[in-house]
Amino acid sequence: MRIILALASMLICALASAEPLPKPWYQTNLELYESGVLITDDAQKNKFGYLKSKNEISQHASKGNILQNVSPPQEWLGRRIRLTALINTKTLYGSANIFMSIDHGDGYKTSDIQPLNKTTENSDWEKFSIVLDMPQSRSAEILFGISLHGKGEIYFDDFKFEEVGYDIETTGETKERSKKGYPANLNFEGNQI
């Protein structure tokens, strides 16, 4: 069964046309990675996103991201939120992950990074989840997406946010961010400036 799904995934990718990423998605490192939306040529015309390295890249040379940076809706503030996505890796020679971070706007940041399958063969579609607590602050910002380190291809679909109960454990941790201010410790001896 697993072989059939892998072959079906390869066939879908071979029989697909591509279009640009829809807003507000954006990509980093355009020189070494490409991304977009694949549309299958079957009767259903299914769409899913992709991020893949270009031929010029070595196995672990760089990193490409597909991501969004958004403000949370009012109803999420002070709630526990789960991000889920369906992800399929293909010929992954580096590493890859799904990530979400929340900048609280008060000097704290909550984040989690979930590694994807580390395989050099095609994988099946797999559901990944990240659960984080949203702060009460209206100045909070969410950054989420997919990273590919090195060479490979990632396909993704059905990103979804939902509120969950506090009986579901969080997957990330909260840390104090370094305070923004004037440049400091420029001579590495503990002096301010």
Side-chain angles (χ1 to χ4, degrees):
M1 179 66 170
R2 194 174 186 123
I3 293 171
I4 293 170
L5 288 172
L7 291 172
S9 178
M10 289 176 14
L11 183 60
I12 286 171
C13 295
L15 299 174
S17 58
E19 59 185 39
L21 289 172
K23 300 287 183 199
W25 289 104
Y26 66 97
Q27 179 196 329
T28 64
N29 203 348
L30 297 168
E31 301 81 29
L32 297 175
Y33 293 88
E34 65 180 76
S35 63
V37 176
L38 289 176
I39 307 163
T40 60
D41 286 337
D42 59 10
Q44 289 83 26
K45 297 290 182 196
N46 293 320
K47 293 183 177 186
F48 52 92
Y50 73 93
L51 174 64
K52 69 179 185 174
S53 57
K54 294 182 179 178
N55 289 335
E56 303 84 36
I57 193 169
S58 67
Q59 279 187 257
H60 304 286
S62 194
K63 176 175 88 167
N65 295 304
I66 172 109
L67 57 141
Q68 288 190 29
N69 191 1
V70 297
S71 298
Q74 177 72 31
E75 60 268 17
W76 290 1
L77 300 181
R79 307 294 173 93
R80 185 161 287 177
I81 302 298
R82 176 170 45 207
L83 167 67
T84 57
L86 292 175
I87 301 173
N88 181 308
T89 59
K90 181 179 178 189
T91 57
L92 186 59
Y93 293 104
S95 63
N97 58 59
I98 179 172
F99 63 88
M100 180 168 70
S101 69
I102 302 170
D103 185 337
H104 294 216
D106 63 358
Y108 287 89
K109 179 180 180 177
T110 304
S111 61
D112 189 22
I113 299 172
Q114 297 281 327
L116 304 179
N117 294 333
K118 293 185 178 179
T119 179
T120 57
E121 299 176 13
N122 298 324
S123 69
D124 295 334
W125 286 93
E126 189 175 345
K127 186 175 184 176
F128 288 85
S129 298
I130 294 175
V131 179
L132 300 176
D133 287 333
M134 191 68 62
Q136 290 281 357
S137 173
R138 290 179 186 234
S139 61
E141 290 187 2
I142 304 170
L143 181 70
F144 68 97
I146 303 285
S147 285
L148 174 58
H149 303 257
K151 200 169 194 169
E153 298 177 37
I154 306 171
Y155 302 96
F156 40 88
D157 201 3
D158 297 333
F159 277 84
K160 180 181 172 183
F161 283 95
E162 62 184 332
E163 182 181 339
V164 295
Y166 287 96
D167 57 320
I168 307 290
E169 289 190 36
T170 60
T171 58
E173 60 184 357
T174 301
K175 295 182 178 178
E176 187 172 10
R177 294 183 55 182
S178 60
K179 305 271 190 232
K180 291 183 181 176
Y182 298 109
N185 297 317
L186 301 178
N187 60 4
F188 302 98
E189 296 177 15
N191 300 333
Q192 286 300 319
I193 291 188

